[in-house]
């Protein structure tokens, strides 16, 4: 159960419907030795738009004055909306969803698997991943209390690391990476133009941005934010493209978490 890209969850069965097809194909004269589930974490609260710190109203106001809900500090208009005050944490709705997923997989795919035959792997440094793993087993293996605690989760530095483990996979240099997003010449204009319509669609709900976020640009909106090289495994740039992706994900998480007015009611 992982947070980053690639994100991995390793357990006892592969996703549907591939599992059904493979079992039906293998049923005649073959034996299934083991199966694997790979999944990302469940529905979480967003990061702040800056990528660090807590999701507060102040962090949101750096990009928009629209009433997007923070989750921190705790309160009726923050954690009361998301169900938790933990930034980027698994929400109660997300935990319930994962338990249902586990129960469905158990019923459909591996009802005869025993407790001792299950092994959990997760990014053990990420609480939402650990919570996803234990909620999955609560649904898939309710009779196995030993699988419902973080103590049994195994980590793996090569699968689950935030880009620090380079002993086997060297990080490509900035010159090469920047070419993946059009190159820095002209402020990554190729990247901006390729996604401008999508960024503008997102911005129709967000209504970014305060003038201070794009000095020298008039008018200041999401698609005019300067794009600069960032070089992180989860995002190569800062600026227009990154904020478009961030706010799109924010509104998706709102919708998945059951918010009635996700995207300020401006997106379907």
């Amino acid at each position: 159960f992982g947070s980053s890209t690639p994100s991995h969850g390793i357990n006892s069965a592969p996703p549907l419907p591939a599992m059904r097809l493979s079992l039906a194909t293998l049923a005649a004269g073959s034996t299934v030795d083991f199966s694997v589930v790979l999944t990302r974490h469940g529905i979480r609260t967003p990061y702040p738009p800056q990528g660090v710190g807590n999701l507060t109203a102040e962090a949101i106001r750096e990009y928009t004055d629209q009433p997007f809900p923070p989750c921190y500090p705790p309160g009726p208009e923050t954690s009361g909306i998301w169900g938790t005050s933990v930034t980027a944490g698994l929400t109660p709705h997300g935990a319930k969803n994962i338990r249902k997923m586990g129960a469905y997989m158990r019923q459909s795919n591996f009802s005869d698997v025993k407790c001792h035959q299950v092994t959990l792997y997760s990014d053990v440094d990420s609480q939402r991943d650990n919570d996803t793993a234990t909620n999955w087993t609560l649904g898939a293996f309710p009779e196995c209390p030993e699988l419902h605690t973080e103590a049994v989760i195994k980590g793996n530095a090569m699968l689950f690391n935030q880009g620090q483990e380079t002993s086997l996979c060297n990080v490509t240099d900035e010159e090469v990476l920047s070419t993946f997003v059009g190159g820095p010449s002209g402020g990554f204009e190729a990247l901006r133009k390729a996604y401008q319509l999508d960024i503008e669609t997102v911005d129709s709900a967000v209504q970014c941005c305060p003038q201070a976020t794009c000095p020298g640009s008039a008018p200041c909106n999401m698609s005019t934010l300067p794009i600069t090289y960032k070089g992180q495994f989860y995002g190569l740039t800062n600026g227009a493209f990154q904020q478009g992706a961030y706010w799109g994900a924010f509104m998706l998480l709102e919708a998945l978490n059951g918010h009635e007015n996700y995207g300020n009611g401006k997106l379907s």
Side-chain angles (χ1 to χ4, degrees), residues 180-182 188-196 199 227 237 241:
F180 296 163
V181 286
F188 293 95
E189 278 305 301
L191 179 65
R192 187 191 312 275
K193 290 179 180 178
Y195 290 94
Q196 185 159 350
I199 294 170
I227 300 178
T237 63
F241 178 79

Side-chain angles (χ1 to χ4, degrees), residues 217-237:
S217 298
C220 183
N221 53 52
M222 192 176 292
S223 62
T224 63
L225 288 173
I227 300 178
T228 58
Y229 182 79
K230 185 178 184 179
Q232 296 296 322
F233 70 94
Y234 53 84
L236 289 179
T237 63

Side-chain angles (χ1 to χ4, degrees), residues 33 47 71 139:
D33 292 325
Y47 285 95
C71 69

Side-chain angles (χ1 to χ4, degrees), residues 1 39-45 82-84 88-104 127-140 148 150 253 256-258:
F1 298 83
T39 182
R40 288 199 63 160
H41 53 73
I43 302 162
R44 60 167 175 81
T45 57
W82 288 100
T84 178
L90 190 71
T91 69
H93 187 73
K96 182 179 179 180
N97 176 270
I98 288 294
R99 290 194 297 273
K100 286 188 172 182
M101 184 177 81
Y104 178 74
Q127 188 59 49
R128 65 175 173 269
D129 294 347
N130 293 337
D131 291 341
T132 297
T134 53
N135 276 282
W136 190 87
T137 55
L138 277 166
H148 305 160
E150 294 182 25
L253 289 169
L256 291 174
N257 204 51

Side-chain angles (χ1 to χ4, degrees), residues 127-259:
Q127 188 59 49
R128 65 175 173 269
D129 294 347
N130 293 337
D131 291 341
T132 297
T134 53
N135 276 282
W136 190 87
T137 55
L138 277 166
F141 299 96
E143 77 283 10
C144 306
E146 65 273 27
L147 297 177
H148 305 160
T149 66
E150 294 182 25
V152 300
I153 301 175
K154 299 178 183 294
N156 186 301
M158 295 306 299
L159 283 178
F160 306 112
N161 74 87
Q162 303 297 302
Q164 306 97 325
E165 178 53 67
T166 59
S167 62
L168 296 181
C169 302
N170 292 326
V171 177
T172 307
D173 61 36
E174 177 178 342
E175 182 179 3
V176 174
L177 288 174
S178 65
T179 63
F180 296 163
V181 286
S185 178
F188 293 95
E189 278 305 301
L191 179 65
R192 187 191 312 275
K193 290 179 180 178
Y195 290 94
Q196 185 159 350
L197 290 178
D198 299 310
I199 294 170
E200 289 174 353
T201 299
V202 171
D203 201 19
S204 68
V206 177
Q207 298 182 32
C208 182
C209 306
Q211 188 62 46
T213 60
C214 42
S217 298
C220 183
N221 53 52
M222 192 176 292
S223 62
T224 63
L225 288 173
I227 300 178
T228 58
Y229 182 79
K230 185 178 184 179
Q232 296 296 322
F233 70 94
Y234 53 84
L236 289 179
T237 63
N238 283 314
F241 178 79
Q242 188 273 334
Q243 285 300 316
Y246 168 80
W247 287 104
F250 190 111
M251 290 183 282
L252 175 62
L253 289 169
E254 283 189 292
L256 291 174
N257 204 51
H259 299 188

Side-chain angles (χ1 to χ4, degrees), residues 12-37:
S12 55
L16 297 172
M19 178 66 174
R20 287 177 176 165
L21 176 62
S22 62
L23 288 182
T25 304
L26 291 170
S30 299
T31 301
V32 178
D33 292 325
F34 66 91
S35 53
V36 179
V37 170

